[in-house]
Amino acid sequence: MAEQFSSSVQFGLNLSKRIHHTPVPLPEMTRSSEEFLPTAPMCYAVIPDPQVVDNPDIRSYQPYVYGLCDPPALIPLQLQGIEMEVECCLDTAFVTVTGRWRVHCVTGSSLCDCQVAIPIGEQGSLLGVEVDDSGRSYHTELVSLKDEKDKQKMAKSKDGYFLKSQIYIVNIPQFKGGSIFSVKMKWSQKILFHDGEFRLTVPFCFPSYVNPVGRKFSKKEKIFLKLNSGTANEVLCKATSHPLKGLLSQAGKLSLSYEAEVPAWSSTDFSFSYTVSSSDIFGGVLLQSPFLRDFDEREIFCLYLYPGNCQERKVFKRDVVFVVDISASMKGIPLENAKNALLASLSQLNLQDTFNIIAFNGEAYLFSPSMVTATNEAILKASTWVDTTFIANGGTNIMHPLTQAMTLLRKSSDSVPLIFLVTDGAVEDEREICEFVKSYVTSGKLVRTPRISTFGIGLYCNHYFLQMLAQIGRGHHDAVYDLDTIDIRMQRLFSTASSVIVADITIKSLEGLDSQELFPSHIPDLSFGSPLIISGRYNGTFPELVKVTGTFADMTSFVVDLKVKREKDMQLTNVFSMRHIDLVTAHAWLLESEELEEKVSKMSIQNNVPSEYTCLEMILVKKDDVKKASDNFLLQKAYSQLSFKGIEHDIPKLFLGGLSHGFGDSKATAENIPPATKEEKQGLLEMAASTCCGKVADTFCCMCMLKACSFVNDGCTIVCTQLCAALACFELIKCCMELCDCDCDCL
């Protein structure tokens, strides 16, 4: 899909040469690379009919173009202005981009659909889109998926989808040629932490072809950055991609801005790195009351621990077992990238560390029957074993290798034992695996139980199972949907999970609170690779000091008293909503609890964060009939409160799909379908009747086809017609089978 999108943009750029009085022949549709994918918020005109492409102000009277574009060409629209606001809170950034685009490539008497491309940053989530055109506007709302009809409607939606793992496309219909419209898009993304520095990168690299041509336009770029670390420590700016000027600098807070007239739009991503000044481990506790309409009336708290900038702090000895999926579905890029990341992770081990490797499909294959010291010879031997053993074949069985890994690590005492699980599949006994790990953890009171970190690849594995497994095992979880990022993301996860400086952390002062809820429920260790953030809800009186204890790598005790303060400048529910929703969803899946599913739905709608139990709708509001739209909305609310069913409301809506991950696909895993081959089942009905005949017709030009048909007698014509009809019926049957996932052998 990404390659087709890139090819359509390349075709659109060639087609747009008609606008500038430079007649050029239409380029051939050849297989193109992905160089035309959006690297910043972009808008494209969707052009199925090339004859509408022209200057909307002055017709150029270019030669007539015959035929239609299939798939439609995509012409990047000219950018008229861009503003970006970034709010950094703890380890989460909220990005709001507002841009104005002109439909410069369609005649003033014609209409075209437009696509909005939103390249969301790493580990991000789309929070909302607003489109403002003359006479109308769109805005997004989250609604609950209450029945199977809603879910089917959402699954078939073509108005919104992920082009790649972090590029989301929204289709907006009917823009007039020459019109100017604005789009406001908002998303959240993770602020990465490495070597004591927080680093944020926001896609903001615009290609040269979005710059307006012809008459001079005022190009103003605006960036506003607001940072709240939650601490009382000084925030130090380390590096920035754009020349930001300081507006405010207080303890733990920073405000910066950038505004300039530019000859061309930004050609580099916006990046910003900073440190929170401290030479050792530090932290604090933030409290906040729920806002007025919060369905959960309990108080909110957040406890954070930062590892500080002291690199002299000793890291725990590591006993690590890599458990890697080598089933047939991992064949090719997934297994090669996972193998490269595994070998790179082995090179990070020290002589005091031990390791082992378990490759699994339907069976389990051990590198060694016992743990091996991480010498150069052992790592070289392991590298040779990996090359010969990592051959993708067979099915997927996770329980057996996981049990073996725990057995290998049962004698660890002065180290942090780590299991690093990598898989691309879902299995039938996932709940049994979680219960087994939970019983193992609760029974191991006298020894340090293995920390389980999980890494999911692609769309078919159950990421909520992997997240729950990591939570029970006090480890970390990450997932990739872009196969090219497996190597770097897997190495980063291992680096975070294996650089523990404080283990066995407990919070001593919260026993007296009522209705206490912790996220995550099992407290992980503190490592150099990531700050530790625990949040939750409570009733009662919160203590003025919170005592946190743990164990250093030299086996001495870690004790710190954290000060408690009321937070006024940061909305904690927004900061933690995405992780709370993910964790509660994982619990709802594990317990099969409808009550928790309803809770997730409420949390999602309240905080405008997509979930598995809600869908994002884009609603059209006509400005000349705002009162009517408002009345319809009030009626809709009244109908819902009275529980009237079967009433359709005439508010135009677009359904934005693809924002949830699902709970894995054990059927696809059993069939060993590679993680990169999942295709959206859309457009099948339109293509069904024309596929077979279209392939034949594409081989000839129109005139040759007409001449050939003139020599065919009536009997042959009838036979050909019946044959074409039969082939079309077969294609329609195939289409129905694909849409319904039919397994009937009779067809």
Side-chain angles (χ1 to χ4, degrees):
M1 185 175 293
E3 205 165 287
Q4 179 180 302
F5 183 92
S6 185
S7 179
S8 295
V9 173
Q10 187 179 19
F11 186 24
L13 289 171
N14 280 281
L15 195 60
S16 67
K17 294 178 182 178
R18 294 168 54 84
I19 305 167
H20 309 303
H21 309 282
T22 310
V24 292
L26 287 173
E28 294 184 9
M29 291 299 292
T30 58
R31 186 180 179 86
S32 64
S33 66
E34 298 180 0
E35 61 179 315
F36 294 100
L37 294 182
T39 53
M42 297 268 290
C43 288
Y44 302 85
V46 181
I47 307 295
D49 185 358
Q51 69 174 332
V52 304
V53 177
D54 207 337
N55 191 319
D57 302 319
I58 303 175
R59 291 292 300 269
S60 61
Y61 296 100
Q62 294 288 331
Y64 187 83
V65 179
Y66 293 89
L68 300 176
C69 303
D70 186 19
L74 298 174
I75 300 180
L77 298 182
Q78 291 180 352
L79 180 61
Q80 304 284 311
I82 194 74
E83 298 179 14
M84 181 167 67
E85 296 182 11
V86 182
E87 185 176 1
C88 300
C89 304
L90 297 175
D91 64 344
T92 304
F94 298 93
V95 182
T96 304
V97 176
T98 305
R100 292 184 298 112
W101 283 268
R102 183 172 190 255
V103 187
H104 70 290
C105 53
V106 175
T107 59
S109 59
S110 301
L111 298 172
C112 75
D113 294 348
C114 286
Q115 287 191 354
V116 180
I118 309 171
I120 303 169
E122 190 166 316
Q123 300 181 47
S125 176
L126 182 65
L127 301 180
V129 181
E130 297 177 18
V131 180
D132 193 355
D133 188 19
S134 55
R136 60 175 189 160
S137 65
Y138 285 94
H139 69 275
T140 53
E141 286 184 5
L142 277 167
V143 294
S144 177
L145 286 172
K146 293 182 178 178
D147 54 36
E148 287 300 320
K149 273 189 176 181
D150 294 333
K151 293 177 183 177
Q152 291 174 8
K153 190 183 296 184
M154 199 64 199
K156 295 177 182 179
S157 169
K158 298 182 289 184
D159 300 318
Y161 60 92
F162 272 105
L163 180 65
K164 288 195 76 173
S165 60
Q166 295 299 324
I167 303 176
Y168 194 76
I169 303 295
V170 180
N171 296 314
I172 311 294
Q174 303 295 292
F175 287 88
K176 188 176 180 181
S179 64
I180 296 176
F181 63 93
S182 69
V183 181
K184 182 178 182 180
M185 52 203 87
K186 184 175 182 179
W187 69 86
S188 65
Q189 66 181 75
K190 184 84 170 177
I191 304 175
L192 302 180
F193 185 83
H194 182 69
D195 290 339
E197 276 188 17
F198 289 92
R199 298 176 184 177
L200 173 69
T201 301
V202 181
F204 205 63
C205 180
F206 295 93
S208 58
Y209 45 76
V210 302
N211 291 299
V213 295
R215 57 182 181 177
K216 291 186 177 181
F217 286 90
S218 173
K219 302 186 188 72
K220 270 193 177 181
E221 280 182 351
K222 295 181 181 180
I223 299 175
F224 178 72
L225 174 69
K226 182 181 178 183
L227 191 154
N228 188 342
S229 67
T231 73
N233 298 42
E234 183 183 8
V235 177
L236 302 175
C237 176
K238 303 295 288 186
T240 180
S241 59
H242 294 67
L244 300 175
K245 296 181 179 179
L247 298 178
L248 173 69
S249 180
Q250 295 178 348
K253 299 176 183 177
L254 200 62
S255 293
L256 305 169
S257 71
Y258 158 75
E259 182 175 352
E261 287 269 359
V262 292
W265 300 118
S266 172
S267 58
T268 182
D269 290 337
F270 173 73
S271 61
F272 177 71
S273 63
Y274 63 95
T275 61
V276 181
S277 180
S278 177
S279 59
D280 205 351
I281 299 170
F282 68 99
V285 179
L286 306 177
L287 302 181
Q288 198 169 78
S289 297
F291 61 88
L292 187 61
R293 295 180 302 277
D294 195 335
F295 76 93
D296 191 340
E297 297 180 350
R298 293 176 296 173
E299 296 286 307
I300 307 163
F301 78 92
C302 161
L303 182 151
Y304 60 87
L305 280 176
Y306 289 168
N309 303 321
C310 181
Q311 299 298 321
E312 298 178 1
R313 181 69 66 185
K314 188 178 178 182
V315 175
F316 271 86
K317 174 180 175 289
R318 293 168 284 194
D319 296 332
V320 55
V321 179
F322 296 92
V323 183
V324 183
D325 188 345
I326 59 167
S327 61
S329 60
M330 288 283 286
K331 185 177 181 180
I333 294 176
L335 190 56
E336 283 300 314
N337 286 349
K339 184 167 67 174
N340 294 337
L342 168 61
L343 297 178
S345 299
L346 285 176
S347 66
Q348 296 180 25
L349 299 178
N350 302 321
L351 288 174
Q352 65 173 352
D353 302 327
T354 64
F355 74 95
N356 208 332
I357 306 170
I358 302 177
F360 73 93
N361 41 38
E363 305 293 331
Y365 309 93
L366 274 72
F367 166 64
S368 172
S370 60
M371 300 299 291
V372 179
T373 304
T375 61
N376 291 335
E377 293 78 12
I379 292 175
L380 184 60
K381 185 178 178 181
S383 177
T384 304
W385 182 85
V386 165
D387 287 335
T388 57
T389 308
F390 277 38
I391 299 172
N393 64 83
T396 305
N397 182 347
I398 296 176
M399 176 72 90
H400 182 45
L402 196 60
T403 305
Q404 288 183 311
M406 289 184 166
T407 303
L408 287 168
L409 295 171
R410 64 186 172 186
K411 294 182 180 179
S412 298
S413 56
D414 60 340
S415 65
V416 172
L418 171 63
I419 296 174
F420 197 86
L421 173 65
V422 180
T423 184
D424 72 334
V427 291
E428 297 289 347
D429 59 346
E430 290 171 341
R431 291 184 177 87
E432 289 79 1
I433 293 172
C434 289
E435 292 301 328
F436 163 71
V437 174
K438 188 184 293 184
S439 64
Y440 189 93
V441 169
T442 53
S443 64
K445 299 291 185 182
L446 301 178
V447 294
R448 185 173 292 126
T449 55
R451 282 22 177 180
I452 302 175
S453 290
T454 56
F455 188 80
I457 299 173
L459 296 165
Y460 293 140
C461 60
N462 184 351
H463 296 285
Y464 295 104
F465 156 63
L466 296 177
Q467 193 168 24
M468 177 56 66
L469 196 60
Q471 186 184 166
I472 296 171
R474 301 174 73 167
H476 301 265
H477 168 69
D478 196 8
V480 294
Y481 305 95
D482 185 352
L483 301 184
D484 295 333
T485 63
I486 292 174
D487 194 342
I488 186 171
R489 294 277 289 273
M490 188 171 156
Q491 286 190 57
R492 186 193 302 160
L493 179 64
F494 176 75
S495 179
T496 299
S498 62
S499 58
V500 175
I501 56 176
V502 180
D504 307 324
I505 293 176
T506 58
I507 305 173
K508 296 287 188 181
S509 309
L510 304 183
E511 294 85 354
L513 299 178
D514 299 327
S515 306
Q516 181 191 140
E517 187 176 24
L518 285 180
F519 299 100
S521 55
H522 299 75
I523 301 174
D525 304 317
L526 176 64
S527 76
F528 270 133
S530 174
L532 174 62
I533 299 179
I534 307 294
S535 55
R537 297 269 188 164
Y538 71 95
N539 282 327
T541 303
F542 208 89
E544 295 182 0
L545 288 175
V546 174
K547 179 174 286 189
V548 178
T549 63
T551 306
F552 284 119
D554 59 5
M555 296 302 148
T556 58
S557 296
F558 165 75
V559 181
V560 62
D561 290 324
L562 302 180
K563 293 182 179 180
V564 178
K565 74 166 187 175
R566 282 273 166 185
E567 178 57 45
K568 298 178 180 178
D569 299 329
M570 179 176 17
Q571 190 65 47
L572 294 180
T573 52
N574 293 339
V575 177
F576 302 121
S577 56
M578 184 175 175
R579 72 188 77 187
H580 286 188
I581 286 171
D582 283 346
L583 292 172
V584 177
T585 302
H587 279 282
W589 164 81
L590 178 64
L591 302 175
E592 299 180 273
S593 168
E594 293 185 3
E595 182 181 349
L596 288 178
E597 290 177 7
E598 182 66 25
K599 181 178 179 179
V600 171
S601 178
K602 289 179 179 179
M603 293 167 67
S604 173
I605 294 171
Q606 177 177 281
N607 298 291
N608 292 317
V609 176
S611 73
E612 297 296 332
Y613 311 110
T614 54
C615 69
L616 198 61
E617 291 182 345
M618 181 165 272
I619 299 175
L620 171 64
V621 178
K622 295 181 180 179
K623 292 182 180 178
D624 57 353
D625 202 8
V626 175
K627 185 178 184 300
K628 182 179 177 181
S630 176
D631 291 342
N632 284 341
F633 179 74
L634 292 174
L635 282 172
Q636 186 176 0
K637 289 288 186 183
Y639 284 137
S640 64
Q641 290 177 2
L642 292 171
S643 300
F644 289 166
K645 296 183 178 180
I647 301 176
E648 295 292 335
H649 308 289
D650 57 357
I651 301 176
K653 297 177 182 178
L654 306 175
F655 292 91
L656 307 187
L659 293 172
S660 58
H661 305 307
F663 297 95
D665 192 334
S666 57
K667 181 181 176 182
T669 302
E671 295 174 0
N672 283 318
I673 300 176
T677 60
K678 188 172 184 180
E679 298 177 356
E680 291 185 303
K681 295 174 181 176
Q682 55 183 11
L684 291 171
L685 284 172
E686 294 87 344
M687 295 169 59
S690 61
T691 299
C692 297
C693 301
K695 289 179 180 177
V696 176
D698 288 345
T699 311
F700 307 98
C701 70
C702 294
M703 189 56 66
C704 292
M705 181 64 77
L706 290 173
K707 287 181 179 179
C709 291
S710 65
F711 293 101
V712 178
N713 61 36
D714 293 342
C716 185
T717 302
I718 293 170
V719 171
C720 289
T721 303
Q722 292 174 339
L723 178 62
C724 289
L727 291 173
C729 289
F730 280 123
E731 195 66 29
L732 284 168
I733 293 171
K734 179 183 175 184
C735 162
C736 294
M737 291 173 66
E738 290 192 33
L739 286 174
C740 303
D741 287 329
C742 182
D743 294 325
C744 298
D745 294 330
C746 60
L747 296 177

